Amino acid sequence: MNPYVLTIFLLSLGLGTTLTFASSHWLLAWMGLEINTLAIIPLMAQQHHPRAVEATTKYFLTQATAAAVILFATTLNAWSTGEWAIHQMSSPATITIIMLALSLKLGLAPTHFWLPEVLQGLNLTTGLILSTWQKLAPFALLLQISPALNSHLLITIGLLSTFVGGWGGLNQTQLRKILAYSSIAHLGWMVMIVKFAPSLTLLSLLIYILMTTTAFLTFKTLSSTTMNILATSWTKTPVITALAALALLSLGGLPPLTGFMPKWLILQELVKQQLPLLATLAALSALLSLYFYLRLCYAMALTSSPNTLTALLPWRLTQNTNPLLLSATSMFSLMLLPLTPTIMTLLTY
Amino acid sequence: MAYFVSLFLLGLVLGLVAVASNPAPYFAALGLVVAAGAGCGVLVGHGGSFLSLVLFLIYLGGMLVVFAYSAALAAEPFPEAWGDRSVLGYVLVYVLGLLVIASWFWGGWYEGGWVVVDEFKELVILRGDTNGVAMMYSSGGGLLVLCAWVLLLTLFVVLELTRGLSRGALRAV
C-alpha cells in the first residue's frame, strides 16, 4: 500500500474514534463509528488474499448492520422524545436496541459469531488494531448510556459472553481464534459490571488492551499463528517465551499478575451488590478460559516439543522490529497489580 | 403542465421497471438515471424546483459514479437487455402487477400529504428549502467539512479495494 494512502487510513482511524469520544450527539457518534469501519477495511484486505477478503466482507457486513441499527434506534428516540443527546436517553426500547447493536459491534455473546472468523483471516497487526483500538469507540458509547440500561440485559449478555468465550476457546489450536474468544470473555466481564461500577469497566478495558497487545505482539515476534509453531518457537527468543507464558496466565487472571486486578475488583463489586451467585458463576467461567491459556502455556514453555534440537534452531538475523512496545506492555501486563489503588483512584476521580 | 407531469410519471414508472427487471448493471443503472431524472421533473411540477435541482445534480452525479464503478467491476461482454426473452418476461410481469395495483386504486386516488412544508404552516420570509441550505452552511459547516473528508476517504477505500484488476480484493468472478 502506498504510504500516503496508509497515512490517510490511519489518520481516519484516529479521527473516527476521536469523533465518537468527543460527541454528545448521536449523529456525530454514529459518523465516528462509520469512519472507523470505513478506514480499517482496506487495511484488513491489504494482502488481497481470499481469506482476508472474506474476513473483511464479514466485518463490513456486521459493522454496517450494527451502525445502521444504532442510527435507527437513535432516530426512533429522537422521533419519540426529541432528544439527540447520548447521555439523556430515556426510552427503554431504543436504549435496549442500541445496547444490542453495540454488543454486535463489540462481538458480545449472542452476536459474537463474526469475531473469531474475522480475526482468523487477518494478520496479527491488523488483528491487534481490531481487538484494541476498534473497541474503544463502542465502549465510550456504552459507558455513556450505561446509567439508563437495564441491568438484567447487561448481566445476561455479560455472563453469556464469559461462558461462550470460555467454551469456544477450549478446543482451538489457532492462536487468533483463541485470542478472539479471550476477547469475548473479557468483554463479558466488562459488560457485567458496567451498570454497577463504570470505572471498573474502564479499568478492565485498559488492562485487557495491555494484555492482549502483549499476546498479539509476542505471537507476531515469534511469527506463529498456531499452537504447533508456538511449541517449537522457544529457540527463537527464550526470554520472550518465558514471559509470554506469564502474560497468558495474566490474561487468564492469576493472582500475582496484572490480569487478576480487574477480576478481583469486579468480583468484589458483585458481592457488594448482593449478587454472590453471579460472582460465583463468573469466577467459574474464568476457569474455562484459564484452561486454554494454560494449554497454550504448556505447549509453549512448560514442555519441550519432541524434535531434535538442531532442527529447531533458527537463523539469528537482525530483528528489524522495534521491541519497545512489546517490552513495555509485557512489563505492564505482568507487574501492575501492586499499583491497583493508584489506578483505581486515577479512574474513579 | 399536467401533460408534462403525466409524461414524467410515466418515465418514472418505466425507469423503475427497467431497474427492477434488468440483470445487467449497465441497463439497470441507465433505468435508475431515467427514473431519477423523471422524478425530478415530477418534483418541479409540484413546486419543489430547488429540491429537484439539488437532486438532479447530486443524485445523478452519484448515480454516474455508481454506474462507472459497477460497470467497471461487473463488466460482462454480452449483457442481457430488454430484447431478451427472460428480461422481457420480468418486464411483462412488473407491468402487469403495476396495472393490477393501478386498477385497485382507480378512482379513489386523493391527494394526501404527510407533512406540511414551506409557508403553509407558519409565516416565514424565506422558502423552506433555500432556508435549509442557508442553515446547513451556517450552523453545519463543521459537519460539511467532515462529510467532505469522509467522501474523500471513501474514494480512497474504494480505489484501494478495487486496485490490481484480477489480483485485487474485488474481482469479477
Side-chain angles (χ1 to χ4, degrees), chain A residues 8-9 12 15 19 28 31 35 38 41 48 53, chain B residues 143 146 149-150 153-154 156-157 160-161 167-169:
Chain A
I8 287 183
F9 291 147
S12 299
L15 175 73
L19 263 184
L28 204 61
M31 280 172 79
I35 292 174
L38 206 58
I41 277 175
H48 285 326
V53 174
Chain B
L143 274 183
L146 196 65
W149 173 257
V150 172
L153 175 68
T154 312
F156 277 113
V157 167
E160 190 60 44
L161 284 180
R167 286 172 288 112

mmCIF file with all atom_site columns, all heavy atoms in Angstrom, chain A residues 8-9 12 15 19 28 31 35 38 41 48 53, chain B residues 143 146 149-150 153-154 156-157 160-161 167-169:
data_model
loop_
_atom_site.group_PDB
_atom_site.id
_atom_site.type_symbol
_atom_site.label_atom_id
_atom_site.label_alt_id
_atom_site.label_comp_id
_atom_site.label_asym_id
_atom_site.label_entity_id
_atom_site.label_seq_id
_atom_site.pdbx_PDB_ins_code
_atom_site.Cartn_x
_atom_site.Cartn_y
_atom_site.Cartn_z
_atom_site.occupancy
_atom_site.B_iso_or_equiv
_atom_site.pdbx_formal_charge
_atom_site.auth_seq_id
_atom_site.auth_comp_id
_atom_site.auth_asym_id
_atom_site.auth_atom_id
_atom_site.pdbx_PDB_model_num
ATOM 1   N N   . ILE A 1 8   ? -3.498  8.251   5.298   1.00 0.00 ? 8   ILE A N   1
ATOM 2   C CA  . ILE A 1 8   ? -4.889  8.720   5.305   1.00 0.00 ? 8   ILE A CA  1
ATOM 3   C C   . ILE A 1 8   ? -5.769  7.762   6.099   1.00 0.00 ? 8   ILE A C   1
ATOM 4   O O   . ILE A 1 8   ? -6.580  8.167   6.937   1.00 0.00 ? 8   ILE A O   1
ATOM 5   C CB  . ILE A 1 8   ? -5.404  8.862   3.857   1.00 0.00 ? 8   ILE A CB  1
ATOM 6   C CG1 . ILE A 1 8   ? -4.761  10.072  3.224   1.00 0.00 ? 8   ILE A CG1 1
ATOM 7   C CG2 . ILE A 1 8   ? -6.917  8.998   3.825   1.00 0.00 ? 8   ILE A CG2 1
ATOM 8   C CD1 . ILE A 1 8   ? -5.252  10.339  1.841   1.00 0.00 ? 8   ILE A CD1 1
ATOM 9   N N   . PHE A 1 9   ? -5.580  6.443   5.870   1.00 0.00 ? 9   PHE A N   1
ATOM 10  C CA  . PHE A 1 9   ? -6.414  5.470   6.570   1.00 0.00 ? 9   PHE A CA  1
ATOM 11  C C   . PHE A 1 9   ? -6.159  5.497   8.066   1.00 0.00 ? 9   PHE A C   1
ATOM 12  O O   . PHE A 1 9   ? -7.089  5.468   8.867   1.00 0.00 ? 9   PHE A O   1
ATOM 13  C CB  . PHE A 1 9   ? -6.165  4.065   6.024   1.00 0.00 ? 9   PHE A CB  1
ATOM 14  C CG  . PHE A 1 9   ? -6.665  3.888   4.628   1.00 0.00 ? 9   PHE A CG  1
ATOM 15  C CD1 . PHE A 1 9   ? -6.016  3.053   3.751   1.00 0.00 ? 9   PHE A CD1 1
ATOM 16  C CD2 . PHE A 1 9   ? -7.777  4.565   4.194   1.00 0.00 ? 9   PHE A CD2 1
ATOM 17  C CE1 . PHE A 1 9   ? -6.465  2.898   2.456   1.00 0.00 ? 9   PHE A CE1 1
ATOM 18  C CE2 . PHE A 1 9   ? -8.237  4.419   2.907   1.00 0.00 ? 9   PHE A CE2 1
ATOM 19  C CZ  . PHE A 1 9   ? -7.574  3.586   2.044   1.00 0.00 ? 9   PHE A CZ  1
ATOM 20  N N   . SER A 1 12  ? -7.654  8.567   9.610   1.00 0.00 ? 12  SER A N   1
ATOM 21  C CA  . SER A 1 12  ? -9.111  8.491   9.701   1.00 0.00 ? 12  SER A CA  1
ATOM 22  C C   . SER A 1 12  ? -9.535  7.528   10.795  1.00 0.00 ? 12  SER A C   1
ATOM 23  O O   . SER A 1 12  ? -10.564 7.733   11.439  1.00 0.00 ? 12  SER A O   1
ATOM 24  C CB  . SER A 1 12  ? -9.700  8.059   8.375   1.00 0.00 ? 12  SER A CB  1
ATOM 25  O OG  . SER A 1 12  ? -9.367  8.989   7.402   1.00 0.00 ? 12  SER A OG  1
ATOM 26  N N   . LEU A 1 15  ? -9.385  9.594   13.677  1.00 0.00 ? 15  LEU A N   1
ATOM 27  C CA  . LEU A 1 15  ? -10.458 10.592  13.631  1.00 0.00 ? 15  LEU A CA  1
ATOM 28  C C   . LEU A 1 15  ? -11.788 9.997   14.055  1.00 0.00 ? 15  LEU A C   1
ATOM 29  O O   . LEU A 1 15  ? -12.537 10.617  14.818  1.00 0.00 ? 15  LEU A O   1
ATOM 30  C CB  . LEU A 1 15  ? -10.562 11.147  12.211  1.00 0.00 ? 15  LEU A CB  1
ATOM 31  C CG  . LEU A 1 15  ? -11.712 12.107  11.963  1.00 0.00 ? 15  LEU A CG  1
ATOM 32  C CD1 . LEU A 1 15  ? -11.418 13.428  12.615  1.00 0.00 ? 15  LEU A CD1 1
ATOM 33  C CD2 . LEU A 1 15  ? -11.980 12.288  10.501  1.00 0.00 ? 15  LEU A CD2 1
ATOM 34  N N   . LEU A 1 19  ? -13.859 11.313  17.185  1.00 0.00 ? 19  LEU A N   1
ATOM 35  C CA  . LEU A 1 19  ? -15.185 11.911  16.995  1.00 0.00 ? 19  LEU A CA  1
ATOM 36  C C   . LEU A 1 19  ? -16.206 11.283  17.935  1.00 0.00 ? 19  LEU A C   1
ATOM 37  O O   . LEU A 1 19  ? -16.989 11.986  18.585  1.00 0.00 ? 19  LEU A O   1
ATOM 38  C CB  . LEU A 1 19  ? -15.652 11.673  15.566  1.00 0.00 ? 19  LEU A CB  1
ATOM 39  C CG  . LEU A 1 19  ? -15.443 12.770  14.557  1.00 0.00 ? 19  LEU A CG  1
ATOM 40  C CD1 . LEU A 1 19  ? -16.063 12.361  13.259  1.00 0.00 ? 19  LEU A CD1 1
ATOM 41  C CD2 . LEU A 1 19  ? -16.066 14.034  15.049  1.00 0.00 ? 19  LEU A CD2 1
ATOM 42  N N   . LEU A 1 28  ? -23.299 12.433  15.327  1.00 0.00 ? 28  LEU A N   1
ATOM 43  C CA  . LEU A 1 28  ? -21.848 12.558  15.196  1.00 0.00 ? 28  LEU A CA  1
ATOM 44  C C   . LEU A 1 28  ? -21.156 11.296  15.691  1.00 0.00 ? 28  LEU A C   1
ATOM 45  O O   . LEU A 1 28  ? -20.167 10.837  15.097  1.00 0.00 ? 28  LEU A O   1
ATOM 46  C CB  . LEU A 1 28  ? -21.377 13.778  15.984  1.00 0.00 ? 28  LEU A CB  1
ATOM 47  C CG  . LEU A 1 28  ? -20.060 14.374  15.524  1.00 0.00 ? 28  LEU A CG  1
ATOM 48  C CD1 . LEU A 1 28  ? -20.173 14.839  14.109  1.00 0.00 ? 28  LEU A CD1 1
ATOM 49  C CD2 . LEU A 1 28  ? -19.652 15.492  16.430  1.00 0.00 ? 28  LEU A CD2 1
ATOM 50  N N   . MET A 1 31  ? -21.406 8.829   13.047  1.00 0.00 ? 31  MET A N   1
ATOM 51  C CA  . MET A 1 31  ? -20.451 9.124   11.973  1.00 0.00 ? 31  MET A CA  1
ATOM 52  C C   . MET A 1 31  ? -19.064 8.642   12.343  1.00 0.00 ? 31  MET A C   1
ATOM 53  O O   . MET A 1 31  ? -18.332 8.085   11.506  1.00 0.00 ? 31  MET A O   1
ATOM 54  C CB  . MET A 1 31  ? -20.419 10.627  11.685  1.00 0.00 ? 31  MET A CB  1
ATOM 55  C CG  . MET A 1 31  ? -21.550 11.099  10.823  1.00 0.00 ? 31  MET A CG  1
ATOM 56  S SD  . MET A 1 31  ? -21.579 12.872  10.710  1.00 0.00 ? 31  MET A SD  1
ATOM 57  C CE  . MET A 1 31  ? -20.312 13.161  9.512   1.00 0.00 ? 31  MET A CE  1
ATOM 58  N N   . ILE A 1 35  ? -16.815 6.044   10.223  1.00 0.00 ? 35  ILE A N   1
ATOM 59  C CA  . ILE A 1 35  ? -15.476 6.377   9.715   1.00 0.00 ? 35  ILE A CA  1
ATOM 60  C C   . ILE A 1 35  ? -14.482 5.309   10.156  1.00 0.00 ? 35  ILE A C   1
ATOM 61  O O   . ILE A 1 35  ? -13.627 4.858   9.389   1.00 0.00 ? 35  ILE A O   1
ATOM 62  C CB  . ILE A 1 35  ? -15.054 7.772   10.209  1.00 0.00 ? 35  ILE A CB  1
ATOM 63  C CG1 . ILE A 1 35  ? -15.911 8.846   9.570   1.00 0.00 ? 35  ILE A CG1 1
ATOM 64  C CG2 . ILE A 1 35  ? -13.607 8.040   9.879   1.00 0.00 ? 35  ILE A CG2 1
ATOM 65  C CD1 . ILE A 1 35  ? -15.648 10.216  10.101  1.00 0.00 ? 35  ILE A CD1 1
ATOM 66  N N   . LEU A 1 38  ? -14.980 2.249   8.000   1.00 0.00 ? 38  LEU A N   1
ATOM 67  C CA  . LEU A 1 38  ? -14.561 2.508   6.629   1.00 0.00 ? 38  LEU A CA  1
ATOM 68  C C   . LEU A 1 38  ? -13.045 2.531   6.519   1.00 0.00 ? 38  LEU A C   1
ATOM 69  O O   . LEU A 1 38  ? -12.481 2.016   5.559   1.00 0.00 ? 38  LEU A O   1
ATOM 70  C CB  . LEU A 1 38  ? -15.140 3.862   6.215   1.00 0.00 ? 38  LEU A CB  1
ATOM 71  C CG  . LEU A 1 38  ? -15.374 4.108   4.753   1.00 0.00 ? 38  LEU A CG  1
ATOM 72  C CD1 . LEU A 1 38  ? -16.315 3.051   4.238   1.00 0.00 ? 38  LEU A CD1 1
ATOM 73  C CD2 . LEU A 1 38  ? -15.976 5.467   4.570   1.00 0.00 ? 38  LEU A CD2 1
ATOM 74  N N   . ILE A 1 41  ? -11.186 -1.034  6.667   1.00 0.00 ? 41  ILE A N   1
ATOM 75  C CA  . ILE A 1 41  ? -11.471 -2.072  5.662   1.00 0.00 ? 41  ILE A CA  1
ATOM 76  C C   . ILE A 1 41  ? -10.321 -2.293  4.673   1.00 0.00 ? 41  ILE A C   1
ATOM 77  O O   . ILE A 1 41  ? -9.895  -3.435  4.482   1.00 0.00 ? 41  ILE A O   1
ATOM 78  C CB  . ILE A 1 41  ? -12.801 -1.740  4.977   1.00 0.00 ? 41  ILE A CB  1
ATOM 79  C CG1 . ILE A 1 41  ? -13.907 -2.259  5.876   1.00 0.00 ? 41  ILE A CG1 1
ATOM 80  C CG2 . ILE A 1 41  ? -12.915 -2.363  3.613   1.00 0.00 ? 41  ILE A CG2 1
ATOM 81  C CD1 . ILE A 1 41  ? -15.246 -1.936  5.432   1.00 0.00 ? 41  ILE A CD1 1
ATOM 82  N N   . HIS A 1 48  ? -4.908  -8.872  0.025   1.00 0.00 ? 48  HIS A N   1
ATOM 83  C CA  . HIS A 1 48  ? -5.682  -9.288  -1.138  1.00 0.00 ? 48  HIS A CA  1
ATOM 84  C C   . HIS A 1 48  ? -5.824  -10.787 -1.267  1.00 0.00 ? 48  HIS A C   1
ATOM 85  O O   . HIS A 1 48  ? -6.100  -11.271 -2.347  1.00 0.00 ? 48  HIS A O   1
ATOM 86  C CB  . HIS A 1 48  ? -5.060  -8.768  -2.441  1.00 0.00 ? 48  HIS A CB  1
ATOM 87  C CG  . HIS A 1 48  ? -5.291  -7.295  -2.651  1.00 0.00 ? 48  HIS A CG  1
ATOM 88  N ND1 . HIS A 1 48  ? -6.418  -6.650  -2.245  1.00 0.00 ? 48  HIS A ND1 1
ATOM 89  C CD2 . HIS A 1 48  ? -4.543  -6.349  -3.234  1.00 0.00 ? 48  HIS A CD2 1
ATOM 90  C CE1 . HIS A 1 48  ? -6.332  -5.381  -2.566  1.00 0.00 ? 48  HIS A CE1 1
ATOM 91  N NE2 . HIS A 1 48  ? -5.206  -5.169  -3.149  1.00 0.00 ? 48  HIS A NE2 1
ATOM 92  N N   . VAL A 1 53  ? -10.020 -11.194 2.357   1.00 0.00 ? 53  VAL A N   1
ATOM 93  C CA  . VAL A 1 53  ? -11.170 -10.516 1.742   1.00 0.00 ? 53  VAL A CA  1
ATOM 94  C C   . VAL A 1 53  ? -12.468 -11.020 2.365   1.00 0.00 ? 53  VAL A C   1
ATOM 95  O O   . VAL A 1 53  ? -13.388 -10.238 2.638   1.00 0.00 ? 53  VAL A O   1
ATOM 96  C CB  . VAL A 1 53  ? -11.151 -10.733 0.218   1.00 0.00 ? 53  VAL A CB  1
ATOM 97  C CG1 . VAL A 1 53  ? -12.402 -10.176 -0.403  1.00 0.00 ? 53  VAL A CG1 1
ATOM 98  C CG2 . VAL A 1 53  ? -9.942  -10.072 -0.372  1.00 0.00 ? 53  VAL A CG2 1
ATOM 99  N N   . LEU B 2 143 ? -19.675 19.991  10.128  1.00 0.00 ? 143 LEU B N   1
ATOM 100 C CA  . LEU B 2 143 ? -20.119 18.674  9.666   1.00 0.00 ? 143 LEU B CA  1
ATOM 101 C C   . LEU B 2 143 ? -19.934 18.528  8.159   1.00 0.00 ? 143 LEU B C   1
ATOM 102 O O   . LEU B 2 143 ? -19.622 17.440  7.678   1.00 0.00 ? 143 LEU B O   1
ATOM 103 C CB  . LEU B 2 143 ? -21.591 18.462  10.013  1.00 0.00 ? 143 LEU B CB  1
ATOM 104 C CG  . LEU B 2 143 ? -21.851 17.914  11.396  1.00 0.00 ? 143 LEU B CG  1
ATOM 105 C CD1 . LEU B 2 143 ? -23.317 17.692  11.587  1.00 0.00 ? 143 LEU B CD1 1
ATOM 106 C CD2 . LEU B 2 143 ? -21.110 16.616  11.574  1.00 0.00 ? 143 LEU B CD2 1
ATOM 107 N N   . LEU B 2 146 ? -16.436 17.635  7.567   1.00 0.00 ? 146 LEU B N   1
ATOM 108 C CA  . LEU B 2 146 ? -16.277 16.228  7.929   1.00 0.00 ? 146 LEU B CA  1
ATOM 109 C C   . LEU B 2 146 ? -16.825 15.321  6.827   1.00 0.00 ? 146 LEU B C   1
ATOM 110 O O   . LEU B 2 146 ? -16.194 14.317  6.444   1.00 0.00 ? 146 LEU B O   1
ATOM 111 C CB  . LEU B 2 146 ? -17.027 15.975  9.235   1.00 0.00 ? 146 LEU B CB  1
ATOM 112 C CG  . LEU B 2 146 ? -16.675 14.704  9.958   1.00 0.00 ? 146 LEU B CG  1
ATOM 113 C CD1 . LEU B 2 146 ? -15.252 14.779  10.417  1.00 0.00 ? 146 LEU B CD1 1
ATOM 114 C CD2 . LEU B 2 146 ? -17.598 14.506  11.118  1.00 0.00 ? 146 LEU B CD2 1
ATOM 115 N N   . TRP B 2 149 ? -14.495 15.112  3.979   1.00 0.00 ? 149 TRP B N   1
ATOM 116 C CA  . TRP B 2 149 ? -13.382 14.227  4.295   1.00 0.00 ? 149 TRP B CA  1
ATOM 117 C C   . TRP B 2 149 ? -13.804 12.766  4.159   1.00 0.00 ? 149 TRP B C   1
ATOM 118 O O   . TRP B 2 149 ? -13.056 11.930  3.633   1.00 0.00 ? 149 TRP B O   1
ATOM 119 C CB  . TRP B 2 149 ? -12.850 14.524  5.700   1.00 0.00 ? 149 TRP B CB  1
ATOM 120 C CG  . TRP B 2 149 ? -11.816 13.528  6.118   1.00 0.00 ? 149 TRP B CG  1
ATOM 121 C CD1 . TRP B 2 149 ? -11.976 12.495  6.966   1.00 0.00 ? 149 TRP B CD1 1
ATOM 122 C CD2 . TRP B 2 149 ? -10.460 13.466  5.655   1.00 0.00 ? 149 TRP B CD2 1
ATOM 123 N NE1 . TRP B 2 149 ? -10.817 11.782  7.071   1.00 0.00 ? 149 TRP B NE1 1
ATOM 124 C CE2 . TRP B 2 149 ? -9.862  12.355  6.280   1.00 0.00 ? 149 TRP B CE2 1
ATOM 125 C CE3 . TRP B 2 149 ? -9.695  14.225  4.783   1.00 0.00 ? 149 TRP B CE3 1
ATOM 126 C CZ2 . TRP B 2 149 ? -8.544  11.997  6.062   1.00 0.00 ? 149 TRP B CZ2 1
ATOM 127 C CZ3 . TRP B 2 149 ? -8.377  13.866  4.567   1.00 0.00 ? 149 TRP B CZ3 1
ATOM 128 C CH2 . TRP B 2 149 ? -7.815  12.773  5.198   1.00 0.00 ? 149 TRP B CH2 1
ATOM 129 N N   . VAL B 2 150 ? -15.009 12.442  4.632   1.00 0.00 ? 150 VAL B N   1
ATOM 130 C CA  . VAL B 2 150 ? -15.467 11.055  4.562   1.00 0.00 ? 150 VAL B CA  1
ATOM 131 C C   . VAL B 2 150 ? -15.645 10.628  3.107   1.00 0.00 ? 150 VAL B C   1
ATOM 132 O O   . VAL B 2 150 ? -15.294 9.498   2.740   1.00 0.00 ? 150 VAL B O   1
ATOM 133 C CB  . VAL B 2 150 ? -16.779 10.886  5.347   1.00 0.00 ? 150 VAL B CB  1
ATOM 134 C CG1 . VAL B 2 150 ? -17.361 9.518   5.117   1.00 0.00 ? 150 VAL B CG1 1
ATOM 135 C CG2 . VAL B 2 150 ? -16.517 11.073  6.809   1.00 0.00 ? 150 VAL B CG2 1
ATOM 136 N N   . LEU B 2 153 ? -12.262 9.917   1.849   1.00 0.00 ? 153 LEU B N   1
ATOM 137 C CA  . LEU B 2 153 ? -11.814 8.647   2.430   1.00 0.00 ? 153 LEU B CA  1
ATOM 138 C C   . LEU B 2 153 ? -12.459 7.475   1.698   1.00 0.00 ? 153 LEU B C   1
ATOM 139 O O   . LEU B 2 153 ? -11.796 6.481   1.371   1.00 0.00 ? 153 LEU B O   1
ATOM 140 C CB  . LEU B 2 153 ? -12.178 8.625   3.912   1.00 0.00 ? 153 LEU B CB  1
ATOM 141 C CG  . LEU B 2 153 ? -11.889 7.330   4.652   1.00 0.00 ? 153 LEU B CG  1
ATOM 142 C CD1 . LEU B 2 153 ? -10.408 7.115   4.751   1.00 0.00 ? 153 LEU B CD1 1
ATOM 143 C CD2 . LEU B 2 153 ? -12.493 7.363   6.029   1.00 0.00 ? 153 LEU B CD2 1
ATOM 144 N N   . THR B 2 154 ? -13.763 7.603   1.412   1.00 0.00 ? 154 THR B N   1
ATOM 145 C CA  . THR B 2 154 ? -14.470 6.532   0.712   1.00 0.00 ? 154 THR B CA  1
ATOM 146 C C   . THR B 2 154 ? -13.872 6.302   -0.664  1.00 0.00 ? 154 THR B C   1
ATOM 147 O O   . THR B 2 154 ? -13.719 5.157   -1.107  1.00 0.00 ? 154 THR B O   1
ATOM 148 C CB  . THR B 2 154 ? -15.952 6.890   0.568   1.00 0.00 ? 154 THR B CB  1
ATOM 149 O OG1 . THR B 2 154 ? -16.421 7.321   1.821   1.00 0.00 ? 154 THR B OG1 1
ATOM 150 C CG2 . THR B 2 154 ? -16.751 5.709   0.124   1.00 0.00 ? 154 THR B CG2 1
ATOM 151 N N   . PHE B 2 156 ? -10.779 6.795   -1.535  1.00 0.00 ? 156 PHE B N   1
ATOM 152 C CA  . PHE B 2 156 ? -9.527  6.059   -1.361  1.00 0.00 ? 156 PHE B CA  1
ATOM 153 C C   . PHE B 2 156 ? -9.781  4.601   -1.014  1.00 0.00 ? 156 PHE B C   1
ATOM 154 O O   . PHE B 2 156 ? -9.097  3.704   -1.497  1.00 0.00 ? 156 PHE B O   1
ATOM 155 C CB  . PHE B 2 156 ? -8.658  6.709   -0.283  1.00 0.00 ? 156 PHE B CB  1
ATOM 156 C CG  . PHE B 2 156 ? -7.859  7.863   -0.799  1.00 0.00 ? 156 PHE B CG  1
ATOM 157 C CD1 . PHE B 2 156 ? -8.123  9.143   -0.378  1.00 0.00 ? 156 PHE B CD1 1
ATOM 158 C CD2 . PHE B 2 156 ? -6.857  7.650   -1.715  1.00 0.00 ? 156 PHE B CD2 1
ATOM 159 C CE1 . PHE B 2 156 ? -7.391  10.201  -0.861  1.00 0.00 ? 156 PHE B CE1 1
ATOM 160 C CE2 . PHE B 2 156 ? -6.122  8.701   -2.205  1.00 0.00 ? 156 PHE B CE2 1
ATOM 161 C CZ  . PHE B 2 156 ? -6.395  9.980   -1.784  1.00 0.00 ? 156 PHE B CZ  1
ATOM 162 N N   . VAL B 2 157 ? -10.794 4.359   -0.158  1.00 0.00 ? 157 VAL B N   1
ATOM 163 C CA  . VAL B 2 157 ? -11.115 2.981   0.242   1.00 0.00 ? 157 VAL B CA  1
ATOM 164 C C   . VAL B 2 157 ? -11.528 2.172   -0.976  1.00 0.00 ? 157 VAL B C   1
ATOM 165 O O   . VAL B 2 157 ? -11.020 1.063   -1.210  1.00 0.00 ? 157 VAL B O   1
ATOM 166 C CB  . VAL B 2 157 ? -12.237 2.981   1.300   1.00 0.00 ? 157 VAL B CB  1
ATOM 167 C CG1 . VAL B 2 157 ? -12.785 1.590   1.494   1.00 0.00 ? 157 VAL B CG1 1
ATOM 168 C CG2 . VAL B 2 157 ? -11.721 3.505   2.613   1.00 0.00 ? 157 VAL B CG2 1
ATOM 169 N N   . GLU B 2 160 ? -8.588  1.567   -3.248  1.00 0.00 ? 160 GLU B N   1
ATOM 170 C CA  . GLU B 2 160 ? -7.640  0.608   -2.671  1.00 0.00 ? 160 GLU B CA  1
ATOM 171 C C   . GLU B 2 160 ? -8.192  -0.814  -2.756  1.00 0.00 ? 160 GLU B C   1
ATOM 172 O O   . GLU B 2 160 ? -7.442  -1.765  -2.961  1.00 0.00 ? 160 GLU B O   1
ATOM 173 C CB  . GLU B 2 160 ? -7.355  1.007   -1.224  1.00 0.00 ? 160 GLU B CB  1
ATOM 174 C CG  . GLU B 2 160 ? -6.222  0.273   -0.562  1.00 0.00 ? 160 GLU B CG  1
ATOM 175 C CD  . GLU B 2 160 ? -4.900  0.476   -1.266  1.00 0.00 ? 160 GLU B CD  1
ATOM 176 O OE1 . GLU B 2 160 ? -4.592  1.623   -1.650  1.00 0.00 ? 160 GLU B OE1 1
ATOM 177 O OE2 . GLU B 2 160 ? -4.186  -0.513  -1.433  1.00 0.00 ? 160 GLU B OE2 1
ATOM 178 N N   . LEU B 2 161 ? -9.523  -0.946  -2.606  1.00 0.00 ? 161 LEU B N   1
ATOM 179 C CA  . LEU B 2 161 ? -10.107 -2.286  -2.653  1.00 0.00 ? 161 LEU B CA  1
ATOM 180 C C   . LEU B 2 161 ? -10.198 -2.821  -4.073  1.00 0.00 ? 161 LEU B C   1
ATOM 181 O O   . LEU B 2 161 ? -10.064 -4.017  -4.300  1.00 0.00 ? 161 LEU B O   1
ATOM 182 C CB  . LEU B 2 161 ? -11.505 -2.285  -2.036  1.00 0.00 ? 161 LEU B CB  1
ATOM 183 C CG  . LEU B 2 161 ? -11.559 -2.233  -0.514  1.00 0.00 ? 161 LEU B CG  1
ATOM 184 C CD1 . LEU B 2 161 ? -12.990 -2.227  -0.058  1.00 0.00 ? 161 LEU B CD1 1
ATOM 185 C CD2 . LEU B 2 161 ? -10.848 -3.414  0.078   1.00 0.00 ? 161 LEU B CD2 1
ATOM 186 N N   . ARG B 2 167 ? -5.902  -9.370  -9.441  1.00 0.00 ? 167 ARG B N   1
ATOM 187 C CA  . ARG B 2 167 ? -5.241  -9.660  -8.179  1.00 0.00 ? 167 ARG B CA  1
ATOM 188 C C   . ARG B 2 167 ? -5.821  -8.847  -7.028  1.00 0.00 ? 167 ARG B C   1
ATOM 189 O O   . ARG B 2 167 ? -5.391  -8.977  -5.906  1.00 0.00 ? 167 ARG B O   1
ATOM 190 C CB  . ARG B 2 167 ? -3.742  -9.385  -8.293  1.00 0.00 ? 167 ARG B CB  1
ATOM 191 C CG  . ARG B 2 167 ? -3.023  -10.456 -9.102  1.00 0.00 ? 167 ARG B CG  1
ATOM 192 C CD  . ARG B 2 167 ? -1.594  -10.073 -9.372  1.00 0.00 ? 167 ARG B CD  1
ATOM 193 N NE  . ARG B 2 167 ? -1.510  -8.990  -10.360 1.00 0.00 ? 167 ARG B NE  1
ATOM 194 C CZ  . ARG B 2 167 ? -1.111  -7.774  -10.074 1.00 0.00 ? 167 ARG B CZ  1
ATOM 195 N NH1 . ARG B 2 167 ? -0.759  -7.463  -8.868  1.00 0.00 ? 167 ARG B NH1 1
ATOM 196 N NH2 . ARG B 2 167 ? -1.051  -6.857  -11.006 1.00 0.00 ? 167 ARG B NH2 1
ATOM 197 N N   . GLY B 2 168 ? -6.776  -7.986  -7.312  1.00 0.00 ? 168 GLY B N   1
ATOM 198 C CA  . GLY B 2 168 ? -7.351  -7.122  -6.294  1.00 0.00 ? 168 GLY B CA  1
ATOM 199 C C   . GLY B 2 168 ? -8.279  -7.871  -5.355  1.00 0.00 ? 168 GLY B C   1
ATOM 200 O O   . GLY B 2 168 ? -8.526  -9.062  -5.514  1.00 0.00 ? 168 GLY B O   1
ATOM 201 N N   . ALA B 2 169 ? -8.788  -7.123  -4.356  1.00 0.00 ? 169 ALA B N   1
ATOM 202 C CA  . ALA B 2 169 ? -9.674  -7.761  -3.385  1.00 0.00 ? 169 ALA B CA  1
ATOM 203 C C   . ALA B 2 169 ? -11.012 -8.109  -4.004  1.00 0.00 ? 169 ALA B C   1
ATOM 204 O O   . ALA B 2 169 ? -11.596 -9.147  -3.730  1.00 0.00 ? 169 ALA B O   1
ATOM 205 C CB  . ALA B 2 169 ? -9.865  -6.834  -2.205  1.00 0.00 ? 169 ALA B CB  1
#
